[in-house]
Amino acid sequence: MSSDMQVFKLPDLGEGLTEAELVNWLVAVGDEIVVDQPIAEVETAKSMVEVPSPYAGTVAELHGEAGQTLDVGKPLISIARAGAGSGSPAAAAPAALSSGIEASPAVEAAAETYRTEEKAGSGNVLIGYGTPGGATGGRTRPRKASVAVVDRAAERVAEPAAVAEPVLEPAVAGTRIPGKLSAVISPLVRKMARDHGVSLDAIEGSGASGLIMRRDVEAAISAPEAPVAAAPIAEAPAVASAAAGAVDGRTGLAVSARTPVRGVRKAVAANMTKSRSEIPEATVWVDVDATALLEMRAELKKRAPHDTPGLLAFIARFVTAGLKKYPALNTRFETAADGSQEIVGFDGINLGFAAQTDRGLVVPSVRNAHGMSARELDAEIRRLTAVARDGKATPAELGSGTFTLNNYGVFGVDGSAAIINYPEVAMLGVGRIIDKPWVVNGELAVRKVTELTLAFDHRVCDGETAAGFLRYVADAIENPGGALADM
């Protein structure tokens, strides 16, 4: 029976993520499962996670294959209730979208399009995580209003006086345009229109039942600059030929491969683009004599070969001490919807560090690093590096940093014009440590020298603060014994 079928949709995995790649199924059709049993492994832009089932019963259908990218809010698995008949998945499907109204094919298509585009704040939350900032974060049942709203909107088009305005669920109520009964649009499309100053009242929706689509807003944005109808006609042949592996129109070279931008790479691209477009960054750097630090660590290693912190842990300790002295670099710059701006300070330091993995560059963070010793920092850095490389770091471990330390010296380079890890306001980079000529007490000597580079948001502080912090860390590296004694 269809009423005995439960459809579990891909939940919001935290951090506002809108999609995930299905890596592996942990169950098969016909398996008996219990509540909270892991059913699949999925890879998001943040990490690899196991998705637990909120239902118990028999697996009736798996909605996806390994390697497929699924949208948040789309069906993941269908589960027959324990003790229920073994009705077919096809017969059970309508129950998952039941709204009390039999929807026409056109309306069902419109509802499906709406669900595809409405990726922000799904309200369908993974056990153990939460939906950040959403008004519907407290929802305890699956959303069922989308079909009903679109269907009733279609009925109003046919019979305007016969049907009263429906009662909308909070998540959908904010997506309706007054005076346009059929214009039920996703929050993502509304945000695009708001960001570009486009009035949705002036847009005719091209979707079924008058649904305003992303393409409608994009057309309104570009209308003053280019003919709306000309662009798709001109671009279509180029897209088709490129997809077929033909010669690239701009370079004259054959296209050898097309790699979808997704997962970690997609998240990095979006974050770096936002950082470059929003943060007016400046950079300061200094060469540092790290000889004393290396000698101190070598001496410690003789005494405790298996319990000596790495160089990065010592530098991390100096960084947390420096941020206590220069807290402006441990903040966040926020702009409210009304245009007002604030610099948000934190009572503590979550120290992020860049870690290269097979999935791309990720930035796990040591939470409450300000209260840790160099040895404790070393242990936590090693643990986080391991879980990040295994793809098991949690969204909280990957998205809670307040300042980033980047050791790009491991790649054999001296310096870098780093891009700040948005929404943080500063990043310290450490280059490779190499032998260089250095003047010591008026005489030329060969010393172990590295370069420190600090990129900072010029909105939160001026060069004096940035230079003061950088010099503090540099002095600590050059005189580690005295610095550690004072911390």
Side-chain angles (χ1 to χ4, degrees):
M1 297 173 59
S2 60
S3 60
D4 292 321
M5 191 66 63
Q6 304 162 113
V7 178
F8 176 43
K9 299 178 181 179
L10 181 65
D12 182 343
L13 301 171
E15 301 297 318
L17 300 174
T18 60
E19 64 183 18
E21 180 178 343
L22 179 58
V23 176
N24 182 44
W25 283 109
L26 303 178
V27 296
V29 173
D31 287 356
E32 294 289 335
I33 63 174
V34 297
V35 174
D36 283 352
Q37 177 177 334
I39 56 174
E41 286 184 321
V42 299
E43 181 180 19
T44 71
K46 295 291 185 181
S47 60
M48 186 102 69
V49 297
E50 290 184 344
V51 180
S53 171
Y55 306 125
T58 304
V59 177
E61 185 177 1
L62 306 178
H63 300 280
E65 300 178 356
Q68 182 178 351
T69 298
L70 305 176
D71 292 333
V72 167
K74 287 297 187 68
L76 179 64
I77 188 172
S78 294
I79 302 169
R81 298 179 190 274
S86 58
S88 68
L97 298 174
S98 175
S99 62
I101 298 176
E102 184 176 354
S104 67
V107 171
E108 287 183 355
E112 181 64 20
T113 304
Y114 172 78
R115 288 190 295 274
T116 299
E117 290 209 348
E118 188 200 19
K119 295 179 179 178
S122 68
N124 193 2
V125 180
L126 177 65
I127 297 172
Y129 293 90
T131 302
T136 61
R139 188 189 314 280
T140 57
R141 58 182 177 81
R143 172 178 294 149
K144 296 183 180 179
S146 296
V147 171
V149 171
V150 177
D151 191 30
R152 292 171 188 170
E155 290 180 3
R156 282 196 295 276
V157 173
E159 302 178 67
V163 182
E165 179 72 18
V167 177
L168 298 181
E169 214 172 311
V172 179
T175 68
R176 183 174 296 283
I177 304 300
K180 288 195 149 194
L181 300 180
S182 64
V184 182
I185 67 173
S186 78
L188 203 62
V189 175
R190 288 179 62 85
K191 183 178 186 303
M192 179 188 295
R194 184 173 63 250
D195 291 346
H196 290 83
V198 174
S199 173
L200 292 172
D201 288 308
I203 297 179
E204 292 296 330
S206 63
S209 301
L211 194 67
I212 297 178
M213 313 293 290
R214 184 198 306 245
R215 61 176 176 266
D216 301 323
V217 178
E218 291 174 342
I221 294 170
S222 61
E225 301 175 6
V228 174
I233 296 175
E235 292 176 5
V239 172
S241 64
V247 174
D248 178 61
R250 190 183 74 84
T251 64
L253 300 174
V255 177
S256 62
R258 286 185 172 272
T259 305
V261 179
R262 61 189 183 188
V264 171
R265 179 53 52 195
K266 185 174 182 179
V268 169
N271 202 46
M272 296 300 97
T273 299
K274 194 165 188 178
S275 179
R276 273 289 193 234
S277 64
E278 293 190 15
I279 298 178
E281 66 185 37
T283 305
V284 291
W285 60 91
V286 63
D287 287 338
V288 181
D289 180 3
T291 306
L293 178 59
L294 289 172
E295 291 175 345
M296 184 191 74
R297 184 175 182 275
E299 185 62 30
L300 290 173
K301 197 168 181 63
K302 289 179 183 178
R303 302 176 188 175
H306 304 294
D307 195 28
T308 302
L311 289 174
L312 188 64
F314 283 111
I315 297 175
R317 184 69 186 92
F318 302 150
V319 166
T320 57
L323 291 175
K324 292 178 184 178
K325 187 175 180 64
Y326 297 93
L329 296 171
N330 188 55
T331 59
R332 183 171 65 233
F333 191 94
E334 290 186 352
T335 301
D338 62 1
S340 61
Q341 297 177 324
E342 291 181 326
I343 297 175
V344 181
F346 303 105
D347 184 17
I349 300 166
N350 289 348
L351 184 63
F353 61 95
Q356 191 67 40
T357 72
D358 292 339
R359 301 167 57 248
L361 184 70
V362 296
V363 186
S365 59
V366 179
R367 299 170 71 88
N368 297 309
H370 55 283
M372 295 185 180
S373 65
R375 185 169 282 107
E376 291 169 333
L377 286 167
D378 184 71
E380 186 65 359
I381 288 173
R382 292 178 187 277
R383 184 192 72 80
L384 287 169
T385 299
V387 297
R389 287 177 176 166
D390 290 341
K392 300 297 184 181
T394 66
E397 289 171 333
L398 292 174
S400 60
T402 59
F403 183 96
T404 295
L405 175 61
N406 188 0
N407 180 21
Y408 42 71
V410 296
F411 301 114
V413 297
D414 299 326
S416 169
I419 300 177
I420 297 170
N421 186 26
Y422 185 91
E424 298 168 15
V425 299
M427 173 186 287
L428 179 68
V430 183
R432 60 177 178 166
I433 300 176
I434 59 174
D435 290 340
K436 280 189 176 183
W438 198 263
V439 176
V440 181
N441 297 325
E443 295 184 359
L444 193 63
V446 177
R447 307 289 284 183
K448 301 293 185 181
V449 178
T450 186
E451 182 179 282
L452 300 182
T453 307
L454 177 69
F456 67 98
D457 187 338
H458 224 314
R459 296 173 299 179
V460 303
C461 68
D462 297 323
E464 180 180 6
T465 299
F469 169 80
L470 186 62
R471 192 64 255 174
Y472 179 92
V473 177
D475 290 344
I477 292 174
E478 293 183 340
N479 182 24
L484 290 171
D486 292 337
M487 290 177 185

